[in-house]
Amino acid sequence: MHKRESHNDMSTIDRRDFLKLVGAGSVGAGAGFMLAEVNKHPVEYLIPYAVPPEEFSAGIATWYNSVCSMCPAGCGITVRTREGRAKKIEGNPSHPVNQGRLCALGQAGLQVLYNPDRLTAPSVRAGDRGASSFTQITWNDGLARVGERLTGLHEKGQGSRICFLSEGVRGHLGNLLELFMEQLGSERLMHYDFAHPQTLYAANKRFFGEDSLPYYDLENTRFLLSFGADYLGRWISPVHHSLGFGRSRQSGHDHRGRFVQIEPRMSVSGAAADEWIPAKPGTEGILALGMAHQIVSQGGYTGDDQGEWAAVLEQYSSDRVADQTGVAADTITRLADAFANTRPSLAIGGGAAANGSNGVDTLMAVSALNYLAGNIGKAGGMLFNPPPAFGSTSQSRQASYQAMTEFAEDARQGKIDVLIINGANPVFSLPAAGAFAEALAEIPFIVSLSSFMDETTAMADLILPSHTYLESWGDDVPEPGIGFPVGAISQPVVSPLYNTRATGDIILALGQQMGFEAVLPWATTENFLKACWQKIHARGATTEAADDFDSFWRSILQAGVWGENVQNANRSFVIDQGVVNDIGVEAAEFSGSSDAYPFVLHPYLSNALYDGRAANLPWMQELPDPMTSIVYGSWVEMNPITAEELGVSEGDLVKVESPHGEITVPVFVYPAIMPDVIAMPIGQGHADFGRYASNRGSNPISIFAPQIEPKSGSLAWGATRVKLQVTGQRVDLLKISGESRELGRNIIQTTSAWEGATEHAQIDSIPISVVSS
Amino acid sequence: MNIFERFTRGWQKYRRPGYYEKFDYAWTMTVDLDRCTGCEACVTACQAENNIPIVGDKDIAKGRQMQWIRIERYWQGEYPNAKLSFIPMLCQHCDAAPCETVCPVSATYHNQDGLNTQVYNRCIGTRSCAVYCPYEVRYFNYRDHHWDAPLEQQLNPDVTVREKGVMEKCTFCIQRIRMAKDNAKDDGRRRVRDGEVQPACVQTCPAEALVFGDRQDPQSKVSKKMNDPRAYRVLDELNTHSSVVYLKKVDADG
Amino acid sequence: MDKLQYADVNRDVVRSLVETGRGYYTTLAIAIAVTLICFFFPWFYQLFYGIGAAGNNHPAVWGTYLASFIFWIGLSHSGTLLSCVLHITNSEWRKAMYRSAEAMTLFSLMVAATMVLVHLGRPWFVHWTLPYPNQMELWPNFKSPLLFDVMAVTTYLTGSTIFIYMGSIPDFAAVRDRTRGWRHHMYVLLSLGWRGTDTQWHRLNWAYTFLAVLIIPLAVSVHSIVSWDFALSIVPALHQTIYAPYFVVGAIYSGTAGIVTVMFVLRKYMKFEQYITQVHFDNLGKLLLALSLIWTYINILEVFTGWYSGTSSEHEAMKFKMFGYYAVLYWEMILFCAFLPLVLISKRFRTSFLPMLILSIAINIGMYTERFLIVGTSLSRQYLPDAWGLYVPSLVEISILIGTLGMFTTMFLIFVKIFPSVSIYEVKETMDKPEKKQSEGGAAWQTTS
Ligand SMILES: Nc1nc2c(c(=O)[nH]1)N[C@H]1C(S)=C(S)[C@@H](COP(=O)(O)OP(=O)(O)OC[C@H]3O[C@@H](n4cnc5c(=O)[nH]c(N)nc54)[C@H](O)[C@@H]3O)O[C@H]1N2
Ligand code: SF4
Ligand code: SF4
Ligand code: SF4
Ligand code: SF4
Ligand code: SF4
């Protein structure tokens, strides 16, 4: 049942179409059964099978549906395989999040699978910690070593001295981890992702009483106000947002959505926006409230609690806000009016704006805007999501920076005996000031389940390398949902390349060793998953053609995605009285005085390298940065005026010094950044992450202030001030673009105000001047 | 009609606009600049689909990048009114392609689908096609490239790996076009359905800025897009009759 | 010494062939060494590594190899071309110098041909540019200016070869009669049984003149066609109607300068003081002056049309050429090729050997620069500014450039030992008939001419 033709791209998916689609996918299923019989090392054969199993015929491609795990957006993928090797990752058209599309990072997943620097077998530390010299051992040996440690502590009832630190894991695998740690009697199950939008969750909890992400309906909005959220870049779900953006912009509707971006440094979304407005870093929330004030004072809001709002917003008159934010008063009022009068409109917040010392307040202010303009629960505004259809979300276990520092403290005090690391790389993605690496050094026994050697795994005593996502079973609940319950199965698309094991299998194996059979009876992750899905199947209320479980299972493997027939979660929203009085934003505080450290450091997630996890993928290293076209390295962006004052130009090395450390990076003169702000991409500067990433560029996280956003406990990574020292040396910035101006050549042509299709261009009948016909 | 007349007739016929349209298909791509976000997903998709080598930082430093589709970026204005616009640049599959006339061995020529094809085996590496191409979308193999094992296991078996000394460029994913045609034939269909062929870049474009199809079919999506008043061709004044049609970026306040 | 006799001519010329000093051998050895070390080794490395050994990149895919190609083709002109023109116009002063001038043509053409091989990404398939029936049932692309090149250059090479050989037959005979041993046998073959009968003389003159007339348009076409490799593109600054005449004039200009250089060397080291005289340098000087003026005029035109086009692409290309990364080279070219040659106005300068040598070398340096700028700067500034780049030659390229000089010298050194590098019989035509009673050489000329 291999797939014969490429997907016809789908214009739009609403819930009904989507449910029709599910199960209709014509894609290879049951890869699991098949792969079970598969030779472990297909790579040694030109044609792997004398008598090929089902779906393996030489020269004909087979597609398998799965889930992209390169970032938390959870797009559905369809992997094209030939002769048992993965050739190309494509978007799964049936998946409502990405609808057949993928971002560059998702495309590059194949280089995770086939990365030359993968860990190929269990191994124990040979040299000192961090020296990353290891000797290989057998799985039994490896598992036994962990097993005995854990059993020891478990029997003594000291389970709490065991910590499991994982990257964000969703779905049933999340439950499995919880079950396991529960059995061990440990509360210390922590997920840590640098880019996890913790302040957004916190703000939503405070404002809407929901510890989850709502659905931002970009596709149907006609006016988007983004306060620092790079929704087309790496903010939450870039592919889905890009779909929405594109369709709002140009899909033959009678309207063209207007997009306004407010941020001190122009992001990809800023470039795409119709209007880019630089506001002083950390004052975005104040700006939002300034607009709120305008809306309320103009009678744009007519709720019963209008009075309270007026009172709360009183001090945010546009003039005062203008002083604080550096945005002209008339701009504020203009935007506010447009936001209130354009229906539907939507305000979102993220990036550095949401991760300053006032991150939660800022996002509350943004929510207030949506509330006052009446965008809540409306198409084209923000919609509530139902609770996840199954499994756990990574939010429920996400460790704030505060939690991480507390953990580090416990480690220093010797309260931790065993640390199991799964994918997370905190040594890279936490500020050096937190001295996390030093804390790890205090832990007697560290196990890493990572597929790659990285800064954190280098500290491990034992490595039990896990499969990559393309070799493992799993399932996923996209976060945020898309307004109705959705789940996706991720299945292995190739047989494992090396002597590695799926994370779930490792946990289950350990469970066996410790005699947790009662609770963890499953032999493999696959069995575990099927058991879980049997429950879902029993719930009924699911897509068609699924009477017995096996056909149900096959159909969701075919579709790669599953949706549940429950009513849309949208409820009318009544704001809690307390919330209104909770609204209010102080200008953000920065670490470092403004005269000693004149510049605000504006970090942002790299389009290609995300939070640094993709730095070991050559395709991503060689992918030009959208705004600068730079490849293979780090740089610091500054306004031409700033550069002139410093007397530096492109390629000059400057020392970027914060109160907590310094790094040396080449200058890139950036036309769209505030003069007293400098920006740096996150992602480079790995010390030990394979041949492509190691010792390349520098890691801005290392000089971040260890400052905590009080209301969420998360790291305020937008709260660092720096000073710049010119070193006098220079390097050649590796970039693709030459001249950055068009010189009036009219290459990118523009047309003014858009009024739908009127007259027709005769593009096909341009006369050729050279011809006499 | 003497030999001279015959020659000139033939020559003019060859140069007449629409000459290629009488072939089986006229594959065309439209690029909506009002949608393109510059995300570069198309670049990686193309690199993955077409076995485009990873040239490495040293060759990049020498200006020898090879991605067949690139995103050009142009700044306008100064802070605080600076604007950045993106434009994806790939082989425009010109119907009057300068690169084709100059190739001494006809290693690059126009096929019956209106594609500007590149025959690697025939190329002797004069690089003149790259000089004659005004869009700078031809990339030369300055050395033999290799993939660190096991990265080579990803290589697409439907696409050749090029050796040193030959020119390469966007093929409109001809292998996918061929596949679709075969499938159509197997299913007893005369023509490939609209949307049945999706080049890797088009397929992945998250903003749906890219659309691909046959402009001979008036009902196809590209044909409709080409009738958008925003449609234009880059460097049209050079009369290359490109098969890549751009849709103007909308400047709402302009 | 007293007035030159026919006999002296034979003696001197034959001496130049048979008597070889140690100086000759050392020069030859050095030339061969340079060819091997500077040309062949780097080239083999490049064949192994790929064109990446050169400095080319995206978008500057062409570089010094093509510049050298144009340069050597250019040098090849005014060897044969000049010789032909002067032959038809019976200008006496030609006769002492034309043989070595023609030789220059031959060898520059050969060097130019090798430059094509060096330039190609896959030279082992160069034969695909030739129209021969083959199992692939494929013809080359006759629309391609590069193919015009192949045709033109090969034709010109053949023509020049026949021309120089034909003109040498009587002299081979002369030498044949004054040599013995293997040399004798060689010249027996080379002279094709020349006995100097009237019929032979008649046919030779007819055929020689015929070829001369034929070769003139050929030579002109060759460099026009070379210019089309560039002019037929739509690259700003290359896409110019002026290019054909520009290249032809440039070619004759550098060619003539080349002749001056060679004349000086022959005169000095082959002891041809009495044959190559101030007259020759004076006339060549006048020619150079005329050419330099035309060349300057065309350069002004090039800049003007670029500016007048009013398009950003032309302007930027011109700006880059004149004031960009390679501005120094541009102005060096203008100095060497437009200003310095103005001194040729003075007869005293034209008739003094060493200054003429220096000037001629300066002119050819300038002319090489011209070719480098054409190839090296235009491609970096084309239509899409985002794709702009910069090209800097690599060490391999520079080494190969030096190597080609060695190659040329080697071939020339071998030539002067086989061909009488001054035409014996035509020089005699320029002399008065000898008196009756003869010094011993007499018989020689009576039997031969
Ligand atoms: N009855 C009959 N007998 C014939 C012929 C006939 O026409 N009819 N033809 C004769 C001729 S011309 C030939 S060439 C021979 C061919 O006879 P064989 O050489 O035996 O060729 P096959 O039987 O096609 O393939 C042999 C085995 O190799 C396996 N194989 C395929 N690919 C690979 C691989 O990459 N690695 C490994 N290790 N195994 C692989 C195939 O699955 C098959 O099991 O038969 C001869 N015998
Ligand atoms: S957005 Fe995230 S999940 Fe979606 S394709 Fe890109 S990396 Fe994968
Ligand atoms: S993938 Fe689409 S949106 Fe992204 S850069 Fe390419 S064309 Fe533009
Ligand atoms: S874009 Fe360039 S390479 Fe492509 S067909 Fe046109 S001229 Fe040829
Ligand atoms: S590089 Fe190859 S394709 Fe291009 S012109 Fe030369 S031979 Fe033809
Ligand atoms: S059409 Fe195919 S080859 Fe051309 S750029 Fe897109 S993906 Fe690459």
Side-chain angles (χ1 to χ4, degrees), chain A residues 4 6 43 80 82 87 101 107 247 250 256 622 626 692 737 740-741 747 751-752 763 768-769, chain B residues 34-35 55 73 75 77 148 153 155 158 183 196 202 204-205 208 232-233 239 241 249 251 253-254:
Chain A
R4 296 290 298 296
S6 24
V43 310
R80 176 175 181 263
R82 274 277 303 264
K87 296 300 177 184
R101 310 294 168 154
Q107 288 282 350
R247 291 168 185 171
Q250 294 288 346
R256 174 178 180 274
E622 201 155 305
Y692 303 109
S737 287
S740 67
R741 301 277 165 162
I747 295 156
T751 162
S752 56
I763 189 81
I768 293 192
S769 42
Chain B
D34 203 33
R35 278 178 173 234
V55 300
R73 40 191 71 66
W75 287 95
D148 299 339
Q153 288 189 35
L155 292 176
D158 298 343
N183 294 341
E196 199 173 341
V202 175
T204 207
C205 176
E208 299 174 312
Y232 78 102
R233 288 186 167 108
N239 283 315
H241 284 251
K249 193 178 164 86
D251 181 356
D253 309 323

Side-chain angles (χ1 to χ4, degrees), chain B residues 171-190:
Chain B
T171 64
F172 265 178
C173 287
I174 191 166
Q175 68 278 9
R176 291 189 175 203
I177 296 175
R178 292 256 158 85
M179 179 71 75
K181 283 177 160 182
D182 292 351
N183 294 341
K185 194 166 108 283
D186 297 353
D187 305 355
R189 281 181 283 130
R190 230 193 92 257

Side-chain angles (χ1 to χ4, degrees), chain A residues 22-23 489 533 543 551-562:
Chain A
V22 174
I489 303 271
W533 279 86
T543 48
S551 55
F552 168 68
W553 181 246
R554 278 182 172 281
S555 75
I556 52 179
L557 284 183
Q558 281 175 9
V561 63
W562 159 95

